[in-house]
Amino acid sequence: MSARPSWFSIPRGSHFSLANIPFGIISTASSTTPRVAVAIGDHALDLAAFAAGNGFAALSTIHPHQAVFSQPSLNAFAALGRPLHSAVRSYIQAVFAADTPCPEALKTNSALQKQSLLPLTDVQCHLPFKIGDYTDFFVGLNHAYNCGLIFRGPANALQPNYKHLPVGYHGRASSVVVSGTPIRRPHGQILTNPSAENKVPTFSQCKKLDFELELGAFVCRANNRGEPVPIGKAEESLFGLVLLNDWSARDVQAWEYVPLGPFNAKNFGTTISPWVVLTDALEPFKVKAIENDAQVLPYLREKDEKSVYDIQLQVDLKTSAQSGNTSTITKTNGRHLLWSFPQMLTHHTITGCNLQPGDLLGSGTISGTSLSECGSLLEQSENGKTTVHISGGEERTFLQDGDEVTLTGVCGSDEEALVGFGQCTGKIEPALTLDF
């Protein structure tokens, strides 16, 4: 994608180029009420202030709806539908373009620039949506195979249903947090001696705390209860994507997941990046998903063979050591998915389940085929059997207190036209001392 010149200074290599225009929720010290903004370079454009200053004068389609920009979440804006999301994004791109057709909207309006263009260092980011429901899928084929290999061996690594449907479980919406929020090490039931004939758990703080590198998609269109969303219309129901870290207590999970799947091992925290990249911005980076050699049922068959995204993903671990060693421990790509978000959404609704604007869908862990491409420590350490080497001579099997995990993701190679997600960061706090 070629860069579009702008009159506004956008740092080279910024995730938030003019090709992007991601949406989020911000507040400032001088105006603590959360409201809608977009990220542009190292600034945020406060859309509530921009609208109040008549910045949208030349976009008549948004005039009846400008109150959505003063809301503390993106839910109301998302519910307006993808054609309007696209129109607002395109208009903002035009406002910032060097040859803008409406210079009075911002370029020559210094007063409005001062009111609405805010350095990112001066804003606080909040959860972008009020999340009603959160469903986490398991559609990273390599991750699923690696986990199955660890626990069941190569012959049974993938369950019989895996290539026939997007496997998922219902997560906990109330514990989804925005990047920068600390994550408390949880307690739970743990089986300390899995090979013992008499399997009796102990109650302990988690000793196998892990991250999971994922993408998340937000729903923007409600469907009526009892009315599934057909695969040909599923993309219309998707607002945009974020980075997602599905923190996992692996030892708790190993004991509890049979027979009904994850529960307490997953419900204590999920971190997402604050800026939502619209599906329009990601459209140029669509690629084929991993080939599925199973016969997919008709309701899940997509016409467009390009259905996932070429997103360069990375995980950095900053240790709790005094030196604060930081190492890149994972580099992988969003193309390593067996099922697309439209397929996830269609399968989610096939029973008539009614989704709402603001519902969150997680992809499941995204891993490539080598250890350095694995999106979790469970895979990289083979469930604690080997160590992951960190700079400064440190090693990890799982996360220690004080460790900080940062996910990043970006599309494109033109340093002036990147479409990125910024960062998704969380730091591990010690477990509470419990007296029971």
Side-chain angles (χ1 to χ4, degrees), residues 167-212:
V167 175
Y169 71 93
H170 287 284
R172 183 68 185 175
S174 64
S175 55
V176 178
V177 296
V178 74
S179 175
T181 306
I183 297 296
R184 175 82 65 182
R185 183 179 296 273
H187 287 79
Q189 289 194 25
I190 296 170
L191 196 63
T192 55
N193 187 7
S195 61
E197 183 176 349
N198 185 22
K199 291 179 170 51
V200 178
T202 60
F203 181 74
S204 168
Q205 62 176 261
C206 169
K207 295 180 174 63
K208 292 184 176 182
L209 187 56
D210 201 358
F211 67 86
E212 289 193 344

Side-chain angles (χ1 to χ4, degrees), residues 41 51 86 310 400-401:
S86 180
D310 179 10
Q400 296 182 9
D401 294 345

Side-chain angles (χ1 to χ4, degrees), residues 15-16 179 243 272-275 316 406-409 421-425:
H15 281 203
F16 308 135
S179 175
L243 300 171
I272 63 172
S273 51
W275 298 103
D316 292 308
T406 298
L407 315 183
T408 54
F421 295 80
Q423 295 186 336
C424 177
T425 299

Side-chain angles (χ1 to χ4, degrees), residues 6 42 47-49 62 66 89-91 114 121 125 163 241 248 283-284 298 329 347 351 353 374 388 402 419 428:
S6 175
D42 53 8
L47 293 189
I62 196 62
Q66 290 187 81
R89 173 175 173 265
S90 295
Y91 177 75
K114 184 177 181 180
T121 52
C125 291
K163 293 184 177 180
L241 271 61
S248 300
E283 186 71 22
I329 59 173
H347 183 66
T351 56
C353 173
C374 287
V388 178
V419 173
I428 305 303

